[in-house]
Amino acid sequence: MSVSENQELKQVLREHELKATNQRIALLKLLDATREHFDAEEIYLELLKKQKNVSRATVYRSLEALVEQDLVTRLDFGDGRMRFERSKGDDEHHDHLICEECGKVIEFFNLEMEAQQLATCEEHDFTPSVHTMHIFGTCSDCKKNK
Amino acid sequence: MSVSENQELKQVLREHELKATNQRIALLKLLDATREHFDAEEIYLELLKKQKNVSRATVYRSLEALVEQDLVTRLDFGDGRMRFERSKGDDEHHDHLICEECGKVIEFFNLEMEAQQLATCEEHDFTPSVHTMHIFGTCSDCKKNK
DNA sequence: AATCTAAATGAGACTTATTTGCACTTGTGT
DNA sequence: ACACAAGTGCAAATAAGTCTCATTTAGATT
Ligand SMILES: [Mn+2]
Ligand SMILES: [Mn+2]
Ligand SMILES: [Zn+2]
Ligand SMILES: [Zn+2]
């Protein structure tokens, strides 16, 4: 099944005019397999751990290409490094609650909020491309441990 | 009137347990006088232009202290540097539309959106402290010039 | 299957925003 | 005016991310 997963990922890359290199396949497979929000360094270390040969430069360059093709989404939690997650379909768009105590990330989707975003853009004759809706605070678990 | 403005700012700083140094007064006065979203380097250069003697290190350290005291708000538009604006009262909270073409920033406030944020937090038993709602896209002007 | 070539990679130098160590200065309480 | 902790300036140090260039490789072509 890993064999056919690789084939699928190769296909995906080619459909987006990207050469299906081992590095890109491994990176995409890594992001496919997790709900974490990794930064570039974490991705690099994970790939090394999995015996994939890859360099930091390639991680950065691949992420750039994958984000460009909207196969990967870049997230900015405001702590000085970019994070990445596998793009889900439009139907799976979500925003984030980020716990300032433990770093946990909770994903949510609120249709009304999205509607208000569009309404606001229209009011200002502004054409949106992407948005960032990050709510920082304290998660349920961290409140208990106080 | 600039004299009394200085006195007011000194007072504000002291109320927040910060020594009222010339550098901090000048920085706060600069942010008070604009609706721009400056980054640290821009602030540094503006202060130099105004003949204020100040170093980059002090700009960074002052901003940190002022943000800590919630006198200044730190904004991250995802372009690799932090931006800052004078904190407004809760009543003047706003979010941002950011034009990817020309960099223009449009401020907006949407009560329903804020309400949905609180609702979402409650659903997840999450206590919010701050949020970022940034919508990137193309502004009205930039659409015309196409 | 061998050959070709543009695109991709690896290693490390480089850039840029921000932080830090340390000697010196200044705001503020007495 | 004095004392001293807090703040500052300068330069060196970090750290995320980018770039250069020699080498490799995916995928198209014989
Ligand atoms: Mn997510
Ligand atoms: Mn603003
Ligand atoms: Zn938590
Ligand atoms: Zn614009």
Side-chain angles (χ1 to χ4, degrees), chain B residues 14 19-22 40 56-57 60-61 80-82:
Chain B
R14 285 174 186 145
K19 269 166 84 168
T21 63
N22 294 330
R56 275 189 189 78
Y60 279 104
R61 281 186 289 227
R81 52 228 154 104
M82 294 303 204

Side-chain angles (χ1 to χ4, degrees), chain A residues 10-13 19 23 30 33 38-39 48 53 73 98 104 114 123-124 126 134 144-145:
Chain A
K10 278 192 188 185
Q11 199 46 43
V12 169
L13 287 165
K19 271 167 84 169
Q23 290 85 343
L30 173 67
F38 287 133
D39 65 35
L48 284 192
N53 90 305
T73 301
I98 300 125
K104 182 164 61 198
E114 305 281 326
E123 272 173 40
H124 293 270
F126 186 91
H134 294 162
K144 281 177 204 146
N145 307 331

Side-chain angles (χ1 to χ4, degrees), chain A residues 5 9 25-35 86-87:
Chain A
E5 188 188 350
L9 291 175
I25 294 166
L27 171 28
L28 215 42
K29 196 195 285 194
L30 173 67
L31 290 185
D32 258 331
T34 184
R35 300 231 60 159
R86 185 77 161 84
S87 298

Side-chain angles (χ1 to χ4, degrees), chain B residues 10-121:
Chain B
K10 277 191 189 186
Q11 200 45 42
V12 170
L13 286 165
R14 285 174 186 145
E15 278 163 11
H16 290 266
E17 339 251 61
L18 296 173
K19 269 166 84 168
T21 63
N22 294 330
Q23 290 84 342
R24 286 170 177 173
I25 295 166
L27 202 172
L28 216 40
K29 196 195 283 194
L30 173 67
L31 290 185
D32 257 332
T34 182
R35 301 232 58 161
E36 298 283 316
H37 301 79
F38 286 134
D39 63 37
E41 181 71 11
E42 287 167 338
I43 290 170
Y44 170 64
L45 294 174
E46 285 296 319
L47 292 178
L48 284 192
K49 205 187 292 175
K50 292 188 185 348
Q51 325 282 340
K52 305 296 179 186
N53 90 303
V54 62
S55 65
R56 275 189 189 78
T58 293
V59 169
Y60 279 104
R61 281 186 289 227
S62 297
L63 287 170
E64 185 183 30
L66 294 169
V67 167
E68 173 114 18
Q69 292 301 314
D70 202 31
L71 292 171
V72 167
T73 300
R74 186 193 311 249
L75 302 167
D76 187 343
F77 291 169
D79 59 351
R81 52 228 154 104
M82 294 303 204
R83 292 164 185 282
F84 302 86
E85 68 181 1
R86 185 76 162 82
S87 297
K88 315 290 190 312
D90 259 356
D91 46 326
E92 283 190 71
H93 165 73
H94 61 264
D95 292 309
H96 299 95
L97 303 179
I98 300 125
C99 178
E100 292 168 322
E101 310 276 327
C102 69
K104 182 164 59 198
V105 176
I106 301 167
E107 304 184 330
F108 73 90
F109 176 78
N110 180 313
L111 187 57
E112 179 58 22
M113 214 185 286
E114 304 282 327
Q116 291 299 324
Q117 288 162 18
L118 292 179
T120 295
C121 287

Side-chain angles (χ1 to χ4, degrees), chain A residues 99 101-102 139 142:
Chain A
C99 179
E101 309 277 328
C102 68
C139 78
C142 287

